[in-house]
Amino acid sequence: MDGISLDRIHVECGLLFEQILEISLEACVSEHASLRVKAVLPQLDENEVRKLDDRELILKYRDDENETVLFAGFVTGYQLAVETDFSSIDITCTSASIRFDQERRCRSFQDTSQTYGQILRNMSGKDLSIITVKGNDTKAKCPFIQYKETDWEIMRRIAGALHTVVIPNIVSVHPQAAVGIIDGKKYRPEQTDTYRMSIHFDEYSLQIKSQ
């Protein structure tokens, strides 16, 4: 199978990369997605590197006709390595859903006629968007208390009561998550081979080999 050139992968974070060396993306239900990007810098600008903290980062794949966002979130850490001939940076990021998980709140929802969906919509606002796929018709039946918990922890607790999961939006820098699984397109793989992906630094290309 032909290699896929890494020049189709683009990272937007305010830094210019000479070459992307490594990309690792992990996304699980009821967890914030995480991304790691390791790249070579054409020149070292420490002032720009210092601005990376909590900066938006968007990972895109571009072909001849389309552009697809693979990940969007915020920088949570980085390591800079300075060698004799070049500098490289190792950046870690978290999906925008981390914004739900940064402030502990104390509040109560006393109306026992409210549904879980109504409680979640009351928690949602201009800056934090919650989609209720499940729970719109299920009443809480008792006062619902949020005591020194983040909104993310409450969403997971409600999802547990509804026997479902929380799905973070990992392709937008606007914090958004769904309680319940949103119906989407279903894909059937054409073949069931297992593949291994590796980077050959001498060619700076991504090789996909069938095992």
Side-chain angles (χ1 to χ4, degrees):
M1 182 180 293
D2 294 337
I4 300 174
S5 175
L6 282 180
D7 61 9
R8 296 187 182 276
I9 300 294
H10 296 264
V11 177
E12 297 178 2
C13 66
L15 289 181
L16 178 64
F17 296 148
E18 180 175 316
Q19 183 61 47
I20 297 174
L21 302 177
E22 182 179 339
I23 295 174
S24 175
L25 173 60
E26 183 175 351
C28 303
V29 297
S30 299
E31 300 289 345
H32 306 299
S34 61
L35 175 73
R36 180 187 175 197
V37 177
K38 187 174 182 180
V40 174
L41 300 173
Q43 58 184 9
L44 180 59
D45 188 336
E46 293 187 5
N47 290 327
E48 285 300 317
V49 171
R50 292 193 190 100
K51 296 177 184 178
L52 274 178
D53 288 327
D54 205 39
R55 177 179 280 182
E56 294 180 2
L57 184 145
I58 300 175
L59 178 71
K60 296 180 178 181
Y61 174 80
R62 296 174 182 167
D63 59 22
D64 295 334
E65 299 179 354
N66 301 302
E67 179 179 271
T68 303
V69 175
L70 303 177
F71 175 90
F74 299 94
V75 175
T76 53
Y78 63 86
Q79 290 184 332
L80 187 64
V82 180
E83 306 291 343
T84 303
D85 299 325
F86 68 94
S87 299
S88 65
I89 192 165
D90 194 338
I91 303 174
T92 55
C93 312
T94 305
S95 56
S97 58
I98 191 67
R99 295 295 195 236
F100 289 103
D101 214 7
Q102 292 179 325
E103 181 181 354
R104 296 190 177 277
R105 304 173 187 268
C106 293
R107 54 184 170 178
S108 63
F109 303 91
Q110 300 287 342
D111 186 353
T112 57
S113 67
Q114 280 191 323
T115 65
Y116 284 117
Q118 289 172 318
I119 292 173
L120 289 167
R121 284 191 290 275
N122 287 334
M123 291 169 52
S124 186
K126 180 179 69 173
D127 299 322
L128 303 173
S129 178
I130 302 173
I131 300 171
T132 55
V133 181
K134 291 194 67 175
N136 291 314
D137 301 320
T138 305
K139 291 184 178 181
K141 296 182 180 179
C142 62
F144 196 83
I145 308 298
Q146 180 179 6
Y147 180 70
K148 294 184 179 180
E149 291 176 288
T150 65
D151 289 348
W152 182 257
E153 290 170 331
I154 286 292
M155 291 163 62
R156 291 180 58 174
R157 185 146 64 91
I158 290 177
L162 297 170
H163 305 289
T164 188
V165 294
V166 179
I167 306 293
N169 185 340
I170 70 169
V171 295
S172 173
V173 293
H174 176 71
Q176 186 181 73
V179 175
I181 300 175
I182 300 174
D183 290 335
K185 293 182 179 179
K186 296 181 179 180
Y187 299 90
R188 183 182 299 276
E190 295 181 359
Q191 56 187 31
T192 57
D193 295 342
T194 300
Y195 294 95
R196 182 177 60 204
M197 301 175 65
S198 61
I199 295 176
H200 293 263
F201 297 107
D202 56 336
E203 299 177 1
Y204 292 114
S205 64
L206 181 64
Q207 301 293 330
I208 304 178
K209 299 180 179 180
S210 177
Q211 292 183 342

